Amino acid sequence: MTGRSSFLIVANRLPVDRTIEPDGTASWRRSPGGLVTAIAPVMQRRHGAWAGWHGAPNEKLAPFEQDGMNLIPVPLSGREVELYYEGFSNATLWPLYHDVVAPPIFDREMWETYRAVNERFANAAADAAEKGAVVWVQDYQLQLVPAMLRRLRPDLRIGFFLHIPFPPTELFWRLPWRKDLVEGLLGADLVGFQLPGGASNFRRLCRRLLGLPYKGNEIFLDDRVVTTQAFPISVDFGQLDSLVRDPQIMARAKEIRVELGDPEHVLLGVDRLDYTKGIGQRLEAFGELLKDGRLAPNEAVFVQIATPSRERVEEYKRLRDDIELQVGRINGEHAQLGYQPVQYFHQSYDHAELAALYLAADVMVVTPLRDGMNLVAKEYVSCHHDLHGALVLSEFAGAADELRQAYLVNPYDVEDVKRQMLAAMRATPHELARRMRTMRRRVATYDVDRWASEFLNALETPASQTSTRRSASWRSG
């Protein structure tokens, strides 16, 4: 890639994964996932660039082009991956932002590495952006980048989007470096959150921590206005809807049911293996339904896919052991010849196989203890043009604000999870169709393309003169 770009994405990872071909040569392919699906087409239309780590530590790569995308690798050492990514990002910020489901670790070396890596990303962005460019920074790993980048390049239009929840002041206050992080985010012109509650938490924190006034969505700094707003992320509804109409996917969905013993009900969970996802709670509820006799033998099979995640972090190693013990206990107590009530898979699946699983499942169980959005819930809805299927959804997932026709549960209340699982399994076809039709209409209307376009439209609309005058009167008042 040569020259600078007028549109730049800055994210922890590049939107490609390296693969090794059978002949031993390395190549790149586009990464799966909602963020890449949402932003890559926008970047291609604008001839933009994407800065991020390419996934291999202790390796430096020159900028390159792949699949019509200009990519700028930002190098990380093995030690930085340990301290910045596995450490401060995922052992400090992740649990803190997810209601302290696990205790955060506050370590000064992790923090200093996080700061240093954020500075490297900011420098890479400053070098790659042309004058007056739009730069869109992504997620919790890079919360210091907006302010660092503004100091280097005050001519840029900078946006930031947080893909995970933003916690209430009482939780954020524990962070020793709370002021640094808030000031980092305030370097952006627009700070986006999944839900209005996250934006509200951030504005209140700015007032309490920094004494900054705000009105509506706007926070008033001495020389400019920072807009804070909710932009609920979504999925590519059209692509998923088309995929599950493919005869091969439909045939595979039928095969899956046969392979499971063709039970009356197939329940499905698809998650990263993470302690925030509530996997243990849903398995406990299912196991108790079998134990109580409210589910007959052979009536239902629960398929749980737990995609490997952060395998080197101790908390995740313990979680994997706990889940596997739980699965073994349920199957040991309730399995029969030819029937295993829980089918557990600690592996990744490609897009087509996941779509077939969604189509095969009668009940999708999404029970995070806390989640910014949870796109699995929206993917499941997108895959059910047949209007069959039920969604059991945690009240603490961001998606619950939009998918009100799901069977909403408190994942901390095992009895509630059991009741709603049973209600979903016992619902009439008419009831299922009524709920699914409404949820599909919502996801189809507010799809991932609309999310990206609404964010960028808000970012590229400068603060109005009205806002500037209001800022002055607010401060003088």
Side-chain angles (χ1 to χ4, degrees):
M1 188 191 81
T2 59
R4 291 182 164 188
S5 298
S6 61
F7 179 68
L8 180 66
I9 300 295
V10 185
N12 175 62
R13 285 295 301 267
L14 287 176
V16 293
D17 297 317
R18 183 158 46 190
T19 58
I20 305 299
E21 303 297 333
D23 62 1
T25 60
S27 63
W28 299 93
R29 66 178 179 190
R30 186 179 295 196
S31 306
L35 178 63
V36 177
T37 302
I39 301 175
V42 180
M43 193 176 71
Q44 288 167 321
R45 285 195 298 270
R46 296 174 177 230
H47 307 290
W50 188 309
W53 181 45
H54 66 283
N58 305 312
E59 180 183 43
K60 290 187 177 181
L61 296 179
F64 62 99
E65 186 173 324
Q66 175 68 30
D67 197 18
M69 298 182 290
N70 295 317
L71 306 178
I72 305 166
V74 179
L76 294 177
S77 70
R79 184 66 172 162
E80 286 169 339
V81 173
E82 179 186 346
L83 294 174
Y84 145 76
Y85 180 72
E86 296 171 352
F88 195 80
S89 294
N90 290 311
T92 304
L93 295 177
W94 180 267
L96 184 71
Y97 283 33
H98 287 85
D99 292 356
V100 195
V101 173
I105 296 171
F106 301 118
D107 180 272
R108 285 172 288 180
E109 188 179 8
M110 288 180 183
W111 161 250
E112 290 301 332
T113 307
Y114 181 87
R115 184 202 294 273
V117 170
N118 271 242
E119 190 167 13
R120 187 176 309 147
F121 273 82
N123 287 331
D127 290 342
E130 71 176 31
K131 185 173 178 59
V134 170
V135 181
W136 191 1
V137 185
Q138 305 290 330
D139 222 3
Y140 64 105
Q141 303 96 343
L142 301 176
Q143 289 177 98
L144 301 179
V145 168
M148 291 174 168
L149 183 56
R150 183 164 296 281
R151 284 194 291 271
L152 294 167
R153 294 288 305 278
D155 59 296
L156 300 176
R157 192 84 184 148
I158 303 169
F160 179 91
F161 186 79
L162 183 69
H163 292 260
I164 66 174
F166 192 83
T169 301
E170 292 73 19
L171 290 181
F172 194 89
W173 211 252
R174 301 184 187 189
L175 188 67
W177 309 280
R178 59 201 182 199
K179 186 177 178 182
D180 303 75
L181 276 187
V182 171
E183 290 176 339
L185 291 172
L186 288 171
D189 296 289
L190 173 64
V191 184
F193 300 87
Q194 297 281 20
L195 299 176
S200 178
N201 286 344
F202 180 69
R203 290 191 294 268
R204 285 196 294 266
L205 182 65
C206 288
R207 183 171 62 187
R208 180 175 172 187
L209 185 63
L210 302 176
L212 293 174
Y214 69 86
K215 189 172 185 180
N217 288 339
E218 296 173 332
I219 301 172
F220 303 116
L221 280 64
D222 287 338
D223 56 345
R224 59 192 184 88
V225 177
V226 177
T227 303
T228 59
Q229 193 172 330
F231 300 90
I233 197 170
S234 193
V235 297
D236 189 339
F237 178 89
Q239 189 267 342
L240 287 165
D241 183 59
S242 297
L243 181 60
V244 292
R245 295 175 192 266
D246 184 321
Q248 288 185 313
I249 299 297
M250 296 171 73
R252 177 60 187 143
K254 291 178 181 177
E255 282 180 7
I256 288 170
R257 293 190 69 95
V258 171
E259 290 169 7
L260 293 172
D262 204 17
E264 187 177 345
H265 305 289
V266 174
L267 293 84
L268 176 65
V270 177
D271 310 85
R272 275 191 314 101
L273 186 62
D274 190 283
Y275 49 79
T276 65
K277 298 300 182 182
I279 298 172
Q281 285 78 358
R282 77 184 66 144
L283 290 176
E284 182 181 0
F286 183 70
E288 287 190 12
L289 287 174
L290 293 169
K291 187 175 182 179
D292 298 346
R294 297 167 80 181
L295 283 178
N298 303 313
E299 182 182 354
V301 171
F302 199 120
V303 179
Q304 176 61 56
I305 294 169
T307 304
S309 171
R310 301 164 191 163
E311 298 282 274
R312 300 198 306 176
V313 178
E314 195 60 39
E315 191 79 35
Y316 290 81
K317 293 178 185 176
R318 286 197 297 271
L319 175 65
R320 179 179 177 181
D321 291 343
D322 290 345
I323 296 298
E324 290 176 356
L325 282 170
Q326 190 177 14
V327 169
R329 187 164 54 248
I330 294 170
N331 285 335
E333 291 176 357
H334 302 289
Q336 299 177 0
L337 283 174
Y339 169 68
Q340 186 166 290
V342 180
Q343 299 274 347
Y344 173 75
F345 303 94
H346 182 246
Q347 54 194 265
S348 300
Y349 286 85
D350 64 29
H351 211 46
E353 184 72 358
L354 273 179
L357 281 160
Y358 289 145
L359 191 56
D362 303 293
V363 180
M364 186 81 215
V365 186
V366 181
T367 55
L369 306 177
R370 191 75 172 94
D371 220 337
M373 180 52 61
N374 196 292
L375 295 180
V376 165
K378 294 186 176 183
E379 288 175 352
Y380 179 75
V381 168
S382 301
C383 288
H384 274 276
H385 59 86
D386 57 4
L387 302 184
H388 178 72
L391 175 62
V392 175
L393 179 61
S394 167
E395 298 167 337
F396 304 116
D401 275 27
E402 297 177 80
L403 305 179
R404 305 303 297 174
Q405 292 72 31
Y407 292 86
L408 297 177
V409 298
N410 176 358
Y412 293 95
D413 182 351
V414 174
E415 289 298 328
D416 188 29
V417 179
K418 289 162 65 177
R419 278 192 302 271
Q420 298 292 41
M421 277 185 179
L422 274 180
M425 284 185 271
R426 305 287 190 251
T428 65
H430 175 76
E431 173 70 8
L432 293 175
R434 182 186 66 81
R435 289 173 179 257
M436 186 60 72
R437 186 179 291 109
T438 304
M439 290 190 291
R440 281 176 60 80
R441 190 179 302 122
R442 172 72 191 190
V443 179
T445 303
Y446 294 91
D447 65 357
V448 71
D449 189 56
R450 181 162 175 170
W451 168 77
S453 62
E454 287 189 352
F455 185 95
L456 290 172
N457 285 340
L459 175 59
E460 292 174 321
T461 302
S464 66
Q465 291 182 355
T466 303
S467 295
T468 304
R469 286 196 300 270
R470 186 162 55 205
S471 166
S473 65
W474 185 262
R475 285 196 300 272
S476 63

